[in-house]
Amino acid sequence: MTSPLSLPHSRGSEAEAQGEIGPFPVRPVSTVTAEVMGALWPRLPTHQAYQEAQAASIFKTKMAIVKNLGRTLSQLLQSPGCGCQTSIVPVRCIGVSPRQVTSDASFHSVSFSETDHPRVLITGGLGQLGVGLAKLLRKRFGKNNVILSDIRKPPDDVFYNGPFIYSDILDYKNLREIVVNNRITWLFHYSALLSAVGEANVPLARAVNITGLHNILDIAAEHSLRLFVPSTIGAFGPTSPRNPTPDLCIQRPRTIYGVSKVHAELMGEYYHYRYGLDFRCLRYPGIISADSQPGGGTTGRKLFPCLSILDYAVQIFHDAIKNGKFQCNLKSDTRLPMMYIDDCLKATLDVMEAPAASLSMRTYNISAMSFSPEELVQEVKKHIPELQVTYNVDAVRQAIADSWPMNFDDSNARRDWGWKHDFDLSELVTTMFNILGSDSRVAQTN
């Protein structure tokens, strides 16, 4: 039998010597007399059992000291010697990401006030709708509660008017850090390749519009975000009912953009029922704005001419003011659903603020008016009677327009969450001329 004196020092002595345990004293075996160890040895079946018993004793001692320190610290904080009240300020720790700027850049790193307002992130925020939505939400919830993000360099008027950060929706880690570090609660996902660019580069459109959407869905579900993803008139196809087009009907679009939007609608609904994600979606009609330039947005004339379908509704105002002449590429009686941008942004905020219990579905049609080129021309002539209009119908454009809805049935949105538009055709035309006419006079003066 091995002599007790030949036992090595305990694990506690070694750990203490290496600074692993700290100030808690551990009595080494070598300091115990041979007589005492001789008496104790028969009670210890193995050397391992001895070490485990000693470690348990050390742990109990440490926990007792920690509890005592906690009680003492609590008493000190509650009753400071100076007679002043002590407040504990929570510290916000920001993770490190190679794509996030330093926290000393006030326009990138946001410290939100403790309010009941949502903390909002807008992806793809440099588009017309993203910038307009940011202005609306900042007026409602406060400037620093709304963060625009994109992969492009923002213009000065956007950069200095509120928080802006770089965000790549294909970089899951970067996107997740943004949501966590800025305590995001609402997410508006506007990042997408639109019809023109998407048809020119289908693989890229698949990556951005579908893979990027999956990243957004996973992060939104993980962090219990309220998520808005817009859909479009392009989510319908030639086999869809056209007049009117209901919320639920056959959808067989023939562009990658339209296909990706149907995918987004169905995936969002699936995540809602499968994981409880608060997903909300609106199908936008044609959006008209004085800030947009013909040939951009969903119609992108430069890259894919056959999709410049809705441009006429913006182009007519620019041409009427500039030279009093306008040429339309659609038939005069081609009717399509339209909406002024202010109504579009209002509807987006309305559906996000609607109580979840009031939503009977997760994707809604919204509309404000439906008109043909001829009806728009007659309204424009009330402001510029000398306007000369000709029709040079493009067969490809006309075929696509004929496959789209003529009217959106948005009765469910009006019933469920009180959707109501403010701009009809007459008010839209008057507003466009007021803005563009004013801009034209300023330009001439300059």
Side-chain angles (χ1 to χ4, degrees):
M1 179 175 177
T2 305
S3 171
L5 290 177
S6 64
L7 289 174
H9 289 315
S10 70
R11 171 74 177 107
S13 298
E14 295 175 359
E16 181 183 15
Q18 296 173 10
E20 297 177 4
I21 295 181
F24 306 105
V26 180
R27 191 181 182 194
V29 176
S30 61
T31 61
V32 183
T33 63
E35 293 79 8
V36 174
M37 287 301 297
L40 292 177
W41 186 255
R43 302 180 186 178
L44 299 176
T46 63
H47 175 57
Q48 180 181 359
Y50 172 78
Q51 288 183 317
E52 292 176 353
Q54 191 174 35
S57 177
I58 293 172
F59 178 76
K60 291 180 180 180
T61 303
K62 290 172 65 176
M63 291 303 298
I65 293 175
V66 169
K67 290 180 180 180
N68 289 334
L69 287 175
R71 285 194 294 266
T72 303
L73 179 60
S74 177
Q75 293 173 357
L76 289 174
L77 292 176
Q78 294 176 3
S79 303
C82 63
C84 305
Q85 291 186 346
T86 303
S87 60
I88 301 177
V89 180
V91 178
R92 176 170 166 261
C93 299
I94 300 179
V96 178
S97 168
R99 296 196 176 187
Q100 283 189 285
V101 296
T102 57
S103 59
D104 58 352
S106 60
F107 44 83
H108 286 280
S109 181
V110 183
S111 296
F112 293 108
S113 60
E114 292 296 334
T115 68
D116 293 332
H117 293 320
R119 275 74 169 179
V120 180
L121 174 66
I122 304 174
T123 65
L126 291 185
Q128 180 187 5
L129 290 175
V131 172
L133 183 64
K135 291 179 181 179
L136 177 64
L137 296 180
R138 283 168 179 165
K139 290 180 181 178
R140 185 68 170 269
F141 303 132
K143 179 178 179 180
N144 287 334
N145 281 344
V146 180
I147 303 176
L148 273 177
S149 70
D150 211 307
I151 59 173
R152 295 182 290 138
K153 180 181 178 180
D156 288 347
D157 62 321
V158 174
F159 187 75
Y160 292 110
N161 281 336
F164 178 89
I165 59 178
Y166 174 91
S167 172
D168 181 358
I169 62 168
L170 296 179
D171 186 340
Y172 182 88
K173 180 177 181 293
N174 170 250
L175 187 63
R176 192 168 182 264
E177 286 182 349
I178 291 172
V179 168
V180 172
N181 291 344
N182 295 287
R183 297 180 294 152
I184 299 301
T185 57
W186 284 15
L187 199 160
F188 293 83
H189 179 54
Y190 280 105
S191 294
L193 261 65
L194 305 184
S195 296
V197 183
E199 293 302 319
N201 193 339
V202 173
L204 181 60
R206 281 202 315 265
V208 174
N209 294 9
I210 296 179
T211 303
L213 170 75
H214 292 175
N215 288 341
I216 292 290
L217 288 170
D218 288 343
I219 291 172
E222 177 185 1
H223 298 285
S224 301
L225 306 185
R226 182 171 297 184
L227 174 63
F228 177 84
V229 179
S231 190
T232 172
I233 185 177
F236 298 99
T239 55
S240 303
R242 299 185 61 220
N243 189 23
T245 302
D247 287 303
L248 300 177
C249 66
I250 188 170
Q251 294 176 255
R252 291 295 184 271
R254 294 183 177 176
T255 66
I256 185 61
Y257 178 65
V259 169
S260 68
K261 285 304 179 183
V262 175
H263 177 79
E265 295 175 13
L266 295 177
M267 286 297 292
E269 185 173 338
Y270 171 76
Y271 267 64
H272 170 67
Y273 289 109
R274 178 68 175 81
Y275 303 112
L277 174 64
D278 192 352
F279 172 84
R280 305 180 185 209
C281 177
L282 296 179
R283 295 191 188 103
Y284 291 154
I287 306 300
I288 300 175
S289 169
D291 294 331
S292 62
Q293 294 297 320
T298 59
T299 54
R301 175 181 297 128
K302 294 182 180 178
L303 293 177
F304 205 66
C306 70
L307 290 180
S308 309
I309 301 167
L310 304 177
D311 277 356
Y312 86 88
V314 175
Q315 186 71 55
I316 188 173
F317 296 99
H318 292 272
D319 290 355
I321 292 174
K322 184 177 180 180
N323 53 37
K325 297 180 179 180
F326 172 65
Q327 184 180 87
C328 183
N329 296 121
L330 296 179
K331 294 179 180 179
S332 61
D333 60 349
T334 304
R335 181 175 297 275
L336 292 168
M338 298 285 186
M339 176 179 287
Y340 186 58
I341 188 172
D342 285 9
D343 274 340
C344 176
L345 299 177
K346 173 177 175 288
T348 303
L349 178 57
D350 285 352
V351 74
M352 283 295 278
E353 290 188 317
S358 68
L359 304 179
S360 63
M361 56 188 64
R362 288 289 148 174
T363 299
Y364 289 89
N365 293 340
I366 56 165
S367 186
M369 65 195 87
S370 183
F371 56 78
S372 66
E374 178 60 27
E375 291 170 331
L376 178 59
V377 167
Q378 294 304 317
E379 197 64 37
V380 169
K381 282 186 174 181
K382 293 180 181 179
H383 298 263
I384 303 180
E386 64 276 14
L387 176 65
Q388 300 177 19
V389 179
T390 57
Y391 291 91
N392 182 19
V393 178
D394 181 280
V396 179
R397 292 187 181 96
Q398 187 65 49
I400 296 176
D402 289 341
S403 72
W404 283 357
M406 298 172 63
N407 284 290
F408 262 164
D409 178 1
D410 61 356
S411 57
N412 287 320
R414 295 177 184 271
R415 181 196 67 230
D416 288 357
W417 43 276
W419 160 239
K420 182 180 180 181
H421 67 277
D422 293 327
F423 291 82
D424 58 18
L425 179 57
S426 175
E427 291 169 329
L428 180 149
V429 171
T430 299
T431 302
M432 291 288 287
F433 275 120
N434 286 341
I435 297 175
L436 294 177
S438 176
D439 291 344
S440 177
R441 288 190 293 272
V442 171
Q444 291 174 0
T445 300
N446 292 338

